[in-house]
């Protein structure tokens, strides 16, 4: 049963790092709140913003704390580090970090996404080209999954800023 | 009644049939799922069992295909043996016999609809247990639960053919939006004494509705 059709599951952590949380909605909300607190505490103690790589380790640690009784979420993290290098990774429900390669996928349509990403991704894409690639990969994978869909949001993180676009998709 | 086996293909589904003066309109979505993977997004769930008798299938794809094949065979034999076309009542009865006697092994929710010269148009619903219900309009499948209110409010007896087609289109479309197991395109068929007219509504031409 579709009960919410505009449930946000991608959250900004810093200006240049985002986390996507796929899975049980209550755990998505709880984890987001807890991570926000830990990141704010980090900022106060370290007097600087957290790097994506460090943030990934923070998430991993938090998930493993609940090794036997885990959160039902599979996070995806993407961001730019202080040298403007891109960082992406995903995790399983108990915090194993997958640094992957060129792309990272998660969610009920993960297998479909592996297929579409593997075929469509190529190196050295410009931001606008990357936007096209990720949009097609997402939309076509999600259209073959009964549990995903009802619209999509794509964000491209560049050194000069974030480009956010809502995609029109099948509503079934 | 059995649950679907792991890996078994399910017609998640929204199906409906509506009677009007002179014919019957049947409609269905087009999604077949294996778990949450959409195995076929353009399925035809409206199956002919005789010239003017169709069934709408929901539940296990294998079970409903097998049962429909058996009934189609029996109806063809009926024509040869009796020298006249079978009635929709006979077809529905055959479905019911099979579904009831094998209720522990089947997962099949079927709507039988059509035209015959004895009763004119009829719509029969045969849900999971194998009971039979003659109705003016019937809803079935996992998506039907989302549209009972809408259908109860919108249906009137003795609508025209165009009103019926619009009614089925808008109902199935609403169910497809909310039910994860329904989606794709809408397939309709209008069965009258003269012919069976097939209508196809692609996913991007669904009737307008509030979309969150």
């Amino acid at each position: 049963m579709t009960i919410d059709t505009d449930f946000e599951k991608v959250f900004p952590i810093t200006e240049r790092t985002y986390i996507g949380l796929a899975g049980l909605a209550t755990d998505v909300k709880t984890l987001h709140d807890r991570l926000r607190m830990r990141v704010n505490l980090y900022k106060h103690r370290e007097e600087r913003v957290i790097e994506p790589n460090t943030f990934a380790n923070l998430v991993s640690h938090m998930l493993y704390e609940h090794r036997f009784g885990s959160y039902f979420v599979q996070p995806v993290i993407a961001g730019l580090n202080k040298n403007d290098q891109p960082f992406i990774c995903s995790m399983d429900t108990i915090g194993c970090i997958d640094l992957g390669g060129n792309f990272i996928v998660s969610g009920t349509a993960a297998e479909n996404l592996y297929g579409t990403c593997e075929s469509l991704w190529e190196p050295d894409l410009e931001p606008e080209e990357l936007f096209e690639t990720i949009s097609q990969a997402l939309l076509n994978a999600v259209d073959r999954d009964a549990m995903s869909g009802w619209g999509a949001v794509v964000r491209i993180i560049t050194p000069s800023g974030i480009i956010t676009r809502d995609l029109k998709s099948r509503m079934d | 009644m059995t649950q679907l086996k792991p890996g078994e293909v399910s017609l998640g589904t929204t199906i409906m049939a509506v009677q009007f003066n002179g014919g019957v309109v049947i409609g269905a979505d087009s999604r077949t799922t294996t778990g949450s993977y959409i195995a076929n997004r353009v399925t035809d769930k409206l199956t002919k069992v005789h010239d003017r008798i169709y069934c709408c299938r929901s539940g296990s794809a294998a079970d409903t295909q097998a049962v429909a094949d058996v009934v189609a065979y029996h109806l063809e034999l009926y024509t040869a043996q009796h020298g006249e076309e079978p009635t929709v009542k006979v077809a529905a009865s055959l479905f019911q016999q099979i579904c009831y006697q094998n209720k522990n092994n089947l997962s099949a929710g079927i709507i039988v609809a059509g035209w015959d010269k004895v009763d004119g148009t009829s719509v029969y619903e045969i849900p999971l247990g194998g009971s039979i219900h003659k109705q003016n309009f019937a809803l079935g499948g996992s998506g039907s639960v989302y549209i009972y209110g809408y259908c109860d409010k919108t249906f009137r007896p003795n609508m025209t053919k165009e009103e019926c087609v619009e009614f089925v289109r808008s109902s199935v479309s609403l169910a497809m939006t909310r039910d994860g197991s329904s989606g794709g395109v809408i397939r309709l068929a209008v069965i009258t004494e003269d012919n069976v007219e097939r209508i196809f509504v692609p996913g991007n031409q669904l009737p307008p509705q509030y979309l969150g």
Side-chain angles (χ1 to χ4, degrees), chain A residues 1-6 108 112 142-147 150 170-172, chain B residues 31 33 36-41 146 176-178 180 182-184 211-212:
Chain A
M1 157 105 210
T2 306
I3 56 174
D4 190 352
T5 57
D6 54 11
T108 52
N112 307 0
V142 143
D143 284 346
R144 274 282 180 176
D145 181 28
M147 302 296 175
W150 262 90
R170 295 183 66 98
M171 299 301 221
D172 61 4
Chain B
R31 182 170 286 186
T33 50
S36 65
Y37 178 69
I38 301 169
N40 186 348
R41 60 193 179 106
Y146 304 110
M176 274 163 56
T177 310
R178 285 283 173 178
S182 303
L211 288 170

Side-chain angles (χ1 to χ4, degrees), chain B residues 81-189:
Chain B
Q81 289 174 336
H82 292 78
E84 59 178 16
E85 302 296 307
T87 58
V88 183
K89 192 174 193 172
V90 161
S93 226
L94 285 168
F95 269 110
Q96 191 237 352
Q97 282 293 295
I98 301 174
C99 291
Y100 177 72
Q101 300 293 351
N102 297 290
K103 61 156 71 185
N104 292 325
N105 299 317
L106 290 176
S107 176
I110 296 177
I111 299 176
V112 185
W115 181 92
D116 61 68
K117 66 178 195 287
V118 177
D119 300 310
T121 56
S122 326
V123 170
Y124 292 88
E125 176 149 22
I126 299 144
L128 246 41
S131 56
I132 185 166
H133 305 272
K134 187 176 195 311
Q135 298 171 297
N136 286 330
F137 76 94
L139 308 176
S142 57
S144 66
V145 300
Y146 304 110
I147 52 174
Y148 272 105
Y150 175 77
C151 289
D152 285 341
K153 186 80 184 161
T154 315
F155 175 76
R156 296 170 331 267
N158 300 321
M159 288 193 280
T160 65
K161 179 183 112 165
E162 288 69 28
E163 285 172 331
C164 268
V165 169
E166 194 43 46
F167 174 46
V168 174
R169 254 171 39 133
S170 51
S171 310
V172 174
S173 169
L174 285 166
M176 274 163 56
T177 310
R178 285 283 173 178
D179 179 29
S181 307
S182 303
V185 305
I186 305 181
R187 293 192 193 277
L188 297 145

Side-chain angles (χ1 to χ4, degrees), chain A residues 59-94:
Chain A
V59 178
S60 168
H61 182 91
M62 247 181 66
L63 292 175
Y64 199 79
E65 275 177 337
H66 294 267
R67 169 64 175 83
F68 302 110
S70 63
Y71 288 113
F72 291 111
V73 281
Q74 295 188 299
V76 162
I77 295 165
L80 294 175
N81 68 13
K82 60 183 189 285
N83 300 321
D84 289 347
Q85 297 296 309
F87 173 88
I88 53 171
C89 79
S90 72
M91 262 164 251
D92 65 6
T93 54
I94 48 175

